[in-house]
C-alpha cells in the first residue's frame, strides 16, 4: 500500500523580491520506491533521476565495481545492443545517462512531456533498468577504458593528490575506496561480480526517484509505478559505518617530478543534514569557496603571488564528507605557501570572520543561490539529494533563511567544533627533495 506524505511548500525568495516556488510532493510506490515530484509547466520538458545506494562506498573488496556496473547499464539488454538503446531514446528527442559516485549510482533522463514522445521513452528506460545484460564485449571494453584512465592518472599530480588525500582522511572507511578502482582490482573484475552487484543494489527498495517537469501528479504516479515495477523489490542497505577522524595531524608525501607541488590540507567534515553544515558552508565560502574574492585567493595570489589557483571546498555525504584546502605552487615557494594556507585557516577559526566579509559572503550566497534552481535539471539535483538523504522538504528554504540570519560567532563556533588542526592531513605531491624539506 502506498504511504502518503503531506506536501510541503518550498519557496526561494531572491534579493530583488521575486520568488520561485516549488511544491515537493512525496510518496512511495507499491514496490517501495520513494518518489519526489515537482510540477513545473514553464517548458514542455520532464527531467527524472533514479538514485540507488550503489556508489563506490559499496564496493567492498572490489574497488571500481560500482563504477564498472554503472558504465555498463546502457550497454545492452537481451533484446537490444547499446546502439539500438541509444537510438530508441534519440528517436523521441530524449537523453539518458548513468553516473556513480561515492554514495550513489543513478539513471538520469530528460525528455519532452508530450505523451506520444514521453511514454515510449519511459517504456525504454524501464526495459533497460529491468534487463541490463552486461555483454562480455562491452565489459571488456569499459574495463580497458578504466585501466587506461588509471594508467593516465599516474602521470597527473592532481589525481595522485586526490587519491592520497582520500586514503589519508578516511583510513579504513568505505569512502576511502577510489570510485575508479585500482589497477589490481579492475583487472580481475568479471561479469559475475557486476551481475551480483547490480542484483543487490539496483532494487526498488534501494532507490529514490525524483521527477521534475511538465506533468500532472497522476502522470507522475504512473511513471513512478512503471519504473519501480521494472526493478526487483530487494531490500534497503544497512547504513554505512561512521567516519572516524584521523588520530592526529599527519603529512603524506608523494614524490612526483614537476615544476609545481600540489598541496591538499583537510579532514572529514560533516554528514548531509548536520546542523553545523550551514555555518561551515559560510566559513568555507569566505575562506576559499568564493573564487577570487576569497581569503585564500587574495593572500595566495594577489598578496604573495604564490599560486594562480587556491581554493577550499566543503562536501557532505551519507556519512562525513570532507573539508579541503588545495593549491598548486612553485616548488621553491612551498614552505611559504603552506604557512599562508594553514595560517589563513587558523586565523579564520581562531578569530572569526569580520563583519564586512560576513556581509559580502551573505549577499553573494543569497544572491546567486536562486539562480542555481532556475531550470528543471538544476532543481532535479537538489530535490534528488533531499530525497536520498532524507532531508526536510523545506531544506532549501531553511538554507536561505539560515544564511540570512548567520552571525560571525556561529561561524566561528562551527569552525572550532568541527575542524581541528589536530586532525588535519596534509598531502604534498611534488619533487622528493622539495616535499621532504617542509613539515
Amino acid at each position: 500500500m502506498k504511504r502518503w506524505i503531506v506536501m510541503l511548500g518550498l519557496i526561494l525568495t531572491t534579493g530583488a523580491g521575486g520568488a520561485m516556488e516549488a511544491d515537493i510532493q512525496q510518496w512511495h510506490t507499491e514496490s517501495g520506491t520513494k518518489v519526489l515530484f515537482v510540477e513545473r509547466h514553464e517548458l514542455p520538458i520532464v527531467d527524472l533521476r533514479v538514485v540507488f545506494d550503489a556508489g563506490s562506498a559499496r564496493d567492498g573488496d572490489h574497488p571500481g565495481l560500482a563504477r564498472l556496473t554503472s558504465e555498463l547499464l546502457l550497454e545492452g539488454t537481451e533484446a537490444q545492443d547499446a546502439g539500438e538503446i541509444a537510438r530508441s531514446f534519440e528517436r523521441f528527442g530524449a537523453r539518458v545517462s548513468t553516473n556513480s559516485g561515492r554514495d550513489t549510482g543513478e539513471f538520469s533522463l530528460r525528455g519532452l512531456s508530450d505523451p506520444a514522445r514521453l511514454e515510449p521513452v519511459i517504456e525504454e528506460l524501464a526495459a533497460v533498468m529491468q534487463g541490463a545484460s552486461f555483454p562480455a564485449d562491452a565489459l571488456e571494453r569499459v574495463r580497458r577504458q578504466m585501466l587506461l584512465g588509471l594508467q593516465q592518472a599516474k602521470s597527473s599530480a592532481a589525481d595522485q593528490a586526490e587519491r592520497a588525500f582520500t586514503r589519508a582522511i578516511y583510513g579504513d572507511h568505505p569512502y576511502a575506496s577510489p570510485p575508479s578502482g585500482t589497477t589490481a582490482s579492475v583487472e580481475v573484475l568479471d561479469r559475475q561480480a557486476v551481475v551480483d552487484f547490480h542484483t543487490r543494489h539496483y532494487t526498488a527498495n534501494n532507490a529514490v526517484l525524483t521527477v521534475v517537469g511538465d506533468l500532472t501528479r497522476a502522470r507522475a504516479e504512473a511513471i513512478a509505478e512503471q519504473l519501480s515495477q521494472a526493478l526487483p523489490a530487494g531490500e534497503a542497505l544497512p547504513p554505512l559505518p561512521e567516519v572516524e577522524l584521523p588520530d592526529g595531524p599527519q603529512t603524506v608525501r608523494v614524490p612526483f617530478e614537476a615544476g609545481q607541488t600540489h598541496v591538499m590540507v583537510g579532514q572529514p567534515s560533516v554528514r548531509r543534514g548536520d546542523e553545523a553544515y550551514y555555518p561551515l558552508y559560510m566559513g568555507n565560502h569566505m575562506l576559499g569557496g568564493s573564487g577570487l574574492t576569497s581569503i585564500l585567493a587574495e593572500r595566495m595570489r594577489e598578496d604573495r603571488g604564490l599560486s594562480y589557483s587556491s581554493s577550499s571546498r566543503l562536501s557532505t555525504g551519507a556519512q562525513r564528507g570532507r573539508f579541503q584546502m588545495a593549491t598548486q605552487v612553485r616548488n621553491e615557494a612551498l614552505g611559504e605557501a603552506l604557512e599562508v594556507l594553514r595560517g589563513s585557516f587558523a586565523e579564520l577559526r581562531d578569530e572569526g570572520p569580520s563583519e564586512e566579509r560576513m556581509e559580502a559572503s551573505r549577499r553573494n550566497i543569497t544572491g546567486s543561490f536562486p539562480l542555481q534552481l532556475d531550470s528543471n535539471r538544476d532543481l532535479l539535483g537538489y530535490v534528488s539529494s533531499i530525497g536520498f538523504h532524507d532531508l526536510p522538504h523545506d531544506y532549501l528554504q531553511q538554507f536561505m533563511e539560515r544564511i540570512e540570519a548567520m552571525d560571525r560567532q556561529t561561524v566561528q563556533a562551527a569552525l572550532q567544533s568541527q575542524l581541528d588542526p589536530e586532525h588535519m592531513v596534509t598531502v604534498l605531491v611534488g619533487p622528493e627533495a622539495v616535499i621532504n624539506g617542509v613539515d
Side-chain angles (χ1 to χ4, degrees):
M1 180 178 293
K2 295 178 182 178
R3 292 169 287 174
W4 302 99
I5 298 178
V6 177
M7 179 176 66
L8 297 177
L10 179 156
I11 302 177
L12 300 178
T13 304
T14 67
M20 292 189 301
E21 298 184 3
D23 291 324
I24 302 177
Q25 305 176 49
Q26 180 176 318
W27 66 92
H28 283 73
T29 67
E30 297 286 356
S31 301
T33 298
K34 182 195 291 186
V35 184
L36 289 87
F37 170 54
V38 177
E39 188 171 346
R40 280 185 136 185
H41 298 289
E42 292 87 352
L43 295 172
I45 293 174
V46 173
D47 285 277
L48 68 82
R49 181 168 297 165
V50 192
V51 176
F52 301 87
D53 186 348
S56 61
R58 302 295 185 178
D59 276 343
D61 296 329
H62 307 286
L65 179 56
R67 176 68 53 83
L68 178 60
T69 303
S70 174
E71 293 288 337
L72 291 170
L73 290 171
L74 298 175
E75 287 293 334
T77 65
E78 292 297 329
Q80 294 179 297
D81 61 25
E84 291 169 329
I85 290 173
R87 288 189 291 274
S88 294
F89 288 104
E90 292 169 358
R91 184 180 305 123
F92 297 99
R95 298 177 182 177
V96 66
S97 62
T98 62
N99 193 26
S100 66
R102 282 195 162 80
D103 279 325
T104 63
E106 62 191 42
F107 287 91
S108 294
L109 174 73
R110 162 166 278 205
L112 298 171
S113 58
D114 177 2
R117 290 181 173 272
L118 186 60
E119 289 175 5
V121 166
I122 297 300
E123 183 177 346
E124 182 65 28
L125 180 59
V128 170
M129 290 171 56
Q130 183 178 52
S133 61
F134 310 109
D137 58 339
L139 187 149
E140 187 56 34
R141 171 170 47 79
V142 173
R143 184 169 56 185
R144 286 199 304 269
Q145 291 171 348
M146 290 178 65
L147 289 170
L148 178 60
L150 290 169
Q151 184 62 36
Q152 293 173 337
K154 294 179 180 178
S155 61
S156 167
D159 286 340
Q160 293 301 303
E162 166 64 25
R163 284 189 168 240
F165 182 74
T166 303
R167 285 195 303 269
I169 66 168
Y170 287 127
D172 295 330
H173 191 273
Y175 277 174
S177 181
S180 56
T182 66
T183 299
S185 175
V186 174
E187 282 181 341
V188 299
L189 291 178
D190 57 22
R191 183 178 180 278
Q192 190 59 53
V194 171
V195 170
D196 291 344
F197 186 90
H198 180 261
T199 300
R200 177 68 181 92
H201 296 85
Y202 285 80
T203 67
N205 278 296
N206 197 43
V208 176
L209 168 62
T210 304
V211 184
V212 177
D214 184 28
L215 293 174
T216 63
R217 168 69 175 255
R219 287 187 69 198
E221 287 182 25
I223 288 171
E225 288 295 337
Q226 185 175 357
L227 294 178
S228 181
Q229 290 174 12
L231 297 166
E235 297 180 357
L237 299 178
L240 294 168
E242 292 187 4
V243 174
E244 300 293 334
L245 293 174
D247 291 335
Q250 58 177 294
T251 299
V252 178
R253 296 173 172 84
V254 181
F256 190 96
E257 287 303 319
Q260 289 188 323
T261 297
H262 277 66
V263 181
M264 296 182 74
V265 181
Q267 66 168 83
S269 60
V270 293
R271 61 185 297 168
R272 197 62 181 265
D274 194 302
E275 285 295 315
Y277 172 72
Y278 303 98
L280 287 179
Y281 182 95
M282 177 73 93
N284 176 73
H285 186 271
M286 291 183 281
L287 178 64
S290 55
L292 295 179
T293 62
S294 68
I295 293 171
L296 292 182
E298 290 175 358
R299 295 183 178 179
M300 296 285 287
R301 176 176 174 168
E302 301 299 330
D303 296 347
R304 305 288 189 97
L306 295 171
S307 171
Y308 181 79
S309 175
S310 300
S311 64
S312 66
R313 174 188 170 199
L314 178 74
S315 65
T316 58
Q319 294 297 330
R320 285 178 181 265
R322 58 200 285 182
F323 164 74
Q324 66 188 57
M325 298 179 285
T327 190
Q328 304 87 48
V329 300
R330 303 185 314 278
N331 292 329
E332 64 272 18
L334 177 59
E336 182 183 1
L338 281 172
E339 288 182 7
V340 175
L341 202 69
R342 291 167 173 164
S344 297
F345 169 74
E347 180 182 324
L348 182 65
R349 180 180 184 272
D350 296 341
E351 301 178 12
S354 67
E355 290 292 351
E356 179 183 9
R357 198 173 284 277
M358 280 286 297
E359 183 57 30
S361 291
R362 185 181 294 109
R363 288 197 307 268
N364 182 269
I365 295 170
T366 58
S368 63
F369 189 69
L371 300 178
Q372 300 175 37
L373 303 171
D374 63 354
S375 74
N376 286 4
R377 185 177 296 172
D378 293 335
L379 184 59
L380 179 75
Y382 283 100
V383 177
S384 179
S385 181
I386 286 172
F388 183 79
H389 293 289
D390 291 321
L391 302 175
H393 284 190
D394 62 349
Y395 176 78
L396 298 179
Q397 182 180 348
Q398 287 185 26
F399 178 86
M400 296 287 283
E401 291 173 349
R402 296 194 185 193
I403 293 298
E404 285 279 12
M406 191 76 63
D407 59 44
R408 60 185 301 274
Q409 291 80 13
T410 303
V411 173
Q412 183 179 7
L415 291 171
Q416 291 181 345
S417 65
Q418 300 296 326
L419 301 177
D420 187 347
E422 291 303 309
H423 297 297
M424 290 282 182
V425 170
T426 300
V427 171
L428 306 175
V429 180
E432 190 166 5
V434 174
I435 60 177
N436 287 337
V438 297
D439 293 326

